[in-house]
Amino acid sequence: MRNFLPKGILLIVTMLFALFSNHSYGQGAIPFTISNTSTFNDNELYVAIVGIDYTTGNHVWVNAKTSQVLQMSSSYNTVTGPTIGGNTGPGQNSKYANCFTKLSEIPNKTFTLPLIAGCRVFIAKGQQLYFYFFGASGAPSGYTSPNPLNATDPNQGILYEIIELTNNQYGFFGNPSRVDSYKYPMGLELFGSNGYQKRVGELKNHADIVAAFKANVPSEFQGCVNNATGEITAPSKTPAFADGTGGTTVGAQANYLKPYIDAIWNKYKNEDLIFYAGDAGVFKGRVIGEQLEMVGQSGGFIGRTGRVQYRPSTQEALEGKGVLDRRLVDGDLDLVIQAQLTAAINRHVVNVTTTNPGQQNWYDASKFYQVNPTNHYSKFWHLPGISVDNLAYGFAYDDVADQSPSLHTTQPTKVIAVFGGYAGSTPTNPSSILIQAENYSAMSGIQVEATTDVGGGSNVGYTDTGDWMAYNNINFPTTGSYLIEYRVASAVNGAKISSDLNAGTIQLGTVNIPNTGGWQNWQTVSQTVNVNAGTYNFGIYIQSSGVNINWIRITKTGSTARIASSETAIEESATVIAYPNPVENTLYFTTDLTGTDVSIIDSQSGSAISSQKIKNNTLDVSRLKTGIYFVVFEKDGKKTVKRIIKK
């Protein structure tokens, strides 16, 4: 077993680049329902909720039957568990926490989720899992959880799944994860008072997922499947990929990625490696000796150098560890470069075949996993028909390029976890309208070209100031608030578009378009407007040239009855970027926030750590303890929240 002190490690990875803005915050405790679509009866499923109390910082568990929040204590260790290989647990008496409740005994299969951080909801089949509670605070504190690498762990052979989450004053953050393994299909659905509704998770039943995995991965990855249980384990944790460390025996695939990694290191000793890294910008560099050195060319890291000390091993690349998780000189930037490289190696998007290929787009999802060697385990979870919207968490940095199944809303109203997933249904959002930009009813000055964005097809481009597009018969079914999202790419600064209804008789406001680093480097920006119910001709006008548009999505979000507000809220990745994240000493911002009021909030306790004004567009966080914080900016009556990790 391992002593699991809930620091939300996987949740941190999932949320590493999650940026959001709001004008109001979470509303507190919310109902959390567990829906059972599996082949098991409710009385065969056992539920436990563990985490950290939002107000005190103490380790707690939630009694799913009563929704009572209780501090962890060794006094709850009253259940006798198995003794395997002489392992009698931390208490040396094979006693474990009595913290699980049968799903059949939870009223309406729903408990009240309190304000809680670093939380995990465990669902086990057939019997409870065997946790050991140390205590609520001090050392040791927290609890032990299953450790699949320990052959004497009392949880060996128990089928279980988890949901990782935090619910605090800034809303709900949560996700299922496949970073370590898959044991059974899971789904997660989140609802918000602003009309937010989104699902993530698997779309097939257990047998079909196992069969599909076997049919889609090559022989090197077939050993990830346990044919007896159907569990699918991440390759780095299987005997075939073991590299001899930690007492393991070197497996047949220990060097699976080595030829590719060697090719990267050998090629870029003599050529420039240039890649686009989303919000972090564009980097250029070479391998010098054995160290990869990348210098920021655009974005927030211009002129700074991030490093990878030497070529990683297969295990280091699969897990983003070792040399790919190491502070060297510019520690924060080192970690950014290492995360980008980890994702690029797993997805095989580093060009090793073209001489002097120029700038590479490591965020083009259509190019992921197309060439061997690649991480076929992760690739599988992103295949069409496996996961909702092809989103999954297949390795430690699968959030790079927004591939993770993270859910967040600032005003959650309820959560539904689905043990068994969504087999037989295709989750959709009936209140959304997706408009392909090239499907205009009329236009002026617009050209169409092929796009490399996810899903392929065409985008509109070569726009000049004064060009426009119109889309007839766009229905806004009810009066209220709508989110309009624009999928855009630009290689210039200062581009702007505006939208309107009925040839400009109703103006919806202007949206600033960020420089995304290239004409096929895609981001999503948005605005929130209020529209009276009706059918309109929807128009887009190029206020300032320099933008490509792939699609427009209109989603009902609220019920405000005012018409056509010009208030605009651009996606945070396009406006204010806080970097590096994780951060050690100094936090920087890509937008000038000098003079802005800022508060730093402890994400676990909710208490304000400091309140100050930003100077020189930087924020000193060197005195913060290691942990998760929210940086809250307030300017002109509006609040913007950034979630940061302090190393």
Side-chain angles (χ1 to χ4, degrees):
M1 301 179 75
R2 59 185 173 188
N3 180 16
F4 181 78
L5 304 181
K7 297 178 181 177
I9 299 301
L10 291 179
L11 186 60
I12 289 173
V13 174
T14 303
M15 299 297 176
L16 191 58
F17 299 105
L19 308 174
F20 56 93
S21 67
N22 62 72
H23 297 269
S24 57
Y25 301 123
Q27 298 176 329
I30 55 175
F32 191 111
T33 299
I34 297 175
S35 173
N36 179 16
T37 63
S38 74
T39 58
F40 312 121
N41 296 324
D42 290 350
N43 63 6
E44 295 180 272
L45 301 182
Y46 293 74
V47 178
I49 307 101
V50 291
I52 298 175
D53 183 270
Y54 172 77
T55 57
T56 66
N58 289 336
H59 296 282
V60 297
W61 67 284
V62 179
N63 185 324
K65 189 173 183 179
T66 65
S67 294
Q68 185 178 7
V69 181
L70 303 164
Q71 293 197 49
M72 288 187 185
S73 167
S74 59
S75 65
Y76 291 110
N77 298 321
T78 61
V79 175
T80 301
T83 300
I84 302 176
N87 182 1
T88 57
Q92 298 184 355
N93 58 3
S94 295
K95 295 292 185 179
Y96 300 95
N98 183 17
C99 61
F100 278 81
T101 303
K102 287 185 178 181
L103 181 59
S104 59
E105 296 176 356
I106 302 175
N108 299 316
K109 304 182 190 178
T110 301
F111 63 88
T112 300
L113 181 70
L115 293 174
I116 192 168
C119 178
R120 288 190 172 192
V121 178
F122 287 84
I123 306 172
K125 184 263 177 180
Q127 62 190 98
Q128 75 160 72
L129 291 167
Y130 297 103
F131 300 163
Y132 184 90
F133 283 176
F134 290 101
S137 59
S141 60
Y143 66 100
T144 61
S145 66
N147 181 1
L149 299 181
N150 181 359
T152 67
D153 188 285
N155 299 291
Q156 293 290 336
I158 303 175
L159 185 153
Y160 72 94
E161 279 292 351
I162 61 173
I163 295 294
E164 302 167 325
L165 65 91
T166 285
N167 182 45
N168 59 22
Q169 83 269 40
Y170 300 104
F172 177 94
F173 306 81
N175 62 274
S177 176
R178 298 300 170 216
V179 169
D180 294 322
S181 67
Y182 157 89
K183 295 181 177 65
Y184 206 73
M186 285 295 296
L188 186 66
E189 186 169 17
L190 177 61
F191 297 80
S193 61
N194 55 0
Y196 179 98
Q197 177 187 0
K198 187 174 181 179
R199 289 181 177 180
V200 292
E202 280 90 33
L203 292 167
K204 293 181 179 293
N205 63 38
H206 180 59
D208 287 346
I209 283 179
V210 175
F213 186 89
K214 291 181 178 181
N216 280 280
V217 304
S219 59
E220 295 92 334
F221 289 78
Q222 290 293 329
C224 294
V225 181
N226 182 325
N227 290 315
T229 65
E231 179 178 357
I232 306 173
T233 302
S236 61
K237 294 176 170 59
T238 64
F241 285 81
D243 61 359
T245 61
T248 62
T249 300
V250 176
Q253 306 305 326
N255 293 315
Y256 173 75
L257 291 171
K258 187 177 188 301
Y260 182 45
I261 295 169
D262 286 346
I264 295 170
W265 248 249
N266 295 337
K267 177 180 178 63
Y268 292 106
K269 284 184 177 181
N270 304 305
E271 298 178 22
D272 287 333
L273 173 61
I274 309 170
F275 66 86
Y276 167 72
D279 296 337
V282 174
F283 293 89
K284 177 181 178 180
R286 291 194 178 196
V287 174
I288 302 174
E290 269 294 291
Q291 182 167 274
L292 175 65
E293 300 183 7
M294 302 301 303
V295 181
Q297 306 296 303
S298 67
F301 297 98
I302 294 177
R304 293 171 59 184
T305 302
R307 298 166 174 86
V308 180
Q309 193 169 12
Y310 50 81
R311 68 186 73 194
S313 67
T314 292
Q315 274 276 337
E316 288 175 322
L318 288 173
E319 293 201 347
K321 66 180 182 180
V323 71
L324 293 174
D325 185 24
R326 183 171 298 170
R327 291 176 174 276
L328 298 170
V329 181
D330 188 341
D332 293 330
L333 180 54
D334 294 337
L335 296 180
V336 169
I337 296 299
Q338 291 159 21
Q340 301 294 320
L341 184 64
T342 299
I345 292 173
N346 276 272
R347 297 164 175 168
H348 199 119
V349 294
V350 186
N351 189 323
V352 294
T353 58
T354 305
T355 302
N356 294 312
Q359 182 173 314
Q360 303 172 37
N361 182 4
W362 289 1
Y363 276 51
D364 181 358
S366 68
K367 301 297 191 300
F368 294 172
Y369 309 111
Q370 297 302 302
V371 182
N372 286 322
T374 193
N375 186 342
H376 285 274
Y377 172 86
S378 180
K379 175 183 179 180
F380 172 76
W381 300 111
H382 295 282
L383 291 177
I386 303 298
S387 305
V388 176
D389 294 331
N390 303 335
L391 298 176
Y393 224 120
F395 66 95
Y397 289 108
D398 220 356
D399 55 338
V400 171
D402 300 321
Q403 298 299 297
S404 68
S406 305
L407 297 180
H408 166 66
T409 184
T410 57
Q411 294 181 293
T413 55
K414 66 177 179 179
V415 185
I416 302 174
V418 184
F419 189 82
Y422 300 114
S425 67
T426 302
T428 59
N429 186 349
S431 60
S432 289
I433 301 171
L434 183 65
I435 304 170
Q436 296 296 336
E438 68 274 15
N439 292 339
Y440 41 74
S441 304
M443 66 84 178
S444 175
I446 299 299
Q447 296 185 44
V448 176
E449 64 181 357
T451 183
T452 63
D453 196 9
V454 178
S458 302
N459 64 262
V460 300
Y462 301 97
T463 58
D464 295 316
T465 301
D467 291 349
W468 56 267
M469 298 162 285
Y471 305 86
N472 293 345
N473 300 318
I474 303 301
N475 181 248
F476 293 77
T478 60
T479 295
S481 178
Y482 288 83
L483 176 71
I484 305 179
E485 299 169 278
Y486 306 87
R487 188 67 169 171
V488 299
S490 178
V492 301
N493 297 320
K496 294 183 180 182
I497 62 174
S498 63
S499 58
D500 59 70
L501 302 177
N502 291 350
T505 58
I506 300 174
Q507 293 293 325
L508 300 179
T510 299
V511 177
N512 295 315
I513 305 301
N515 184 336
T516 65
W519 296 110
Q520 290 295 322
N521 294 338
W522 295 92
Q523 290 185 15
T524 306
V525 300
S526 65
Q527 64 178 154
T528 301
V529 302
N530 291 285
V531 179
N532 284 339
T535 299
Y536 301 88
N537 294 335
F538 174 76
I540 295 176
Y541 184 83
I542 309 302
Q543 295 282 355
S544 183
S545 62
V547 58
N548 288 357
I549 305 175
N550 187 11
W551 48 255
I552 307 101
R553 181 164 54 210
I554 302 172
T555 305
K556 183 72 173 64
T557 62
S559 58
T560 305
R562 292 185 299 112
I563 186 168
S565 168
S566 62
E567 180 182 337
T568 300
I570 300 177
E571 183 181 274
E572 287 303 322
S573 62
T575 53
V576 180
I577 301 167
Y579 67 92
N581 195 359
V583 59
E584 186 169 22
N585 295 311
T586 304
L587 196 65
Y588 297 85
F589 307 98
T590 55
T591 298
D592 187 7
L593 296 173
T594 302
T596 301
D597 293 320
V598 60
S599 298
I600 300 178
I601 309 296
D602 187 309
S603 70
Q604 294 185 1
S605 67
S607 59
I609 304 299
S610 68
S611 181
Q612 56 189 286
K613 287 185 180 294
I614 293 178
K615 297 180 180 179
N616 301 321
N617 221 38
T618 64
L619 190 64
D620 182 2
V621 296
S622 60
R623 296 184 180 181
L624 294 180
K625 296 180 180 179
T626 299
I628 308 171
Y629 297 88
F630 293 99
V631 180
V632 183
F633 316 98
E634 185 166 0
K635 192 171 185 179
D636 300 327
K638 296 182 179 180
K639 287 185 173 68
T640 299
V641 182
K642 298 292 177 185
R643 190 173 188 273
I644 65 168
I645 312 301
K646 174 63 169 66
K647 296 290 284 187

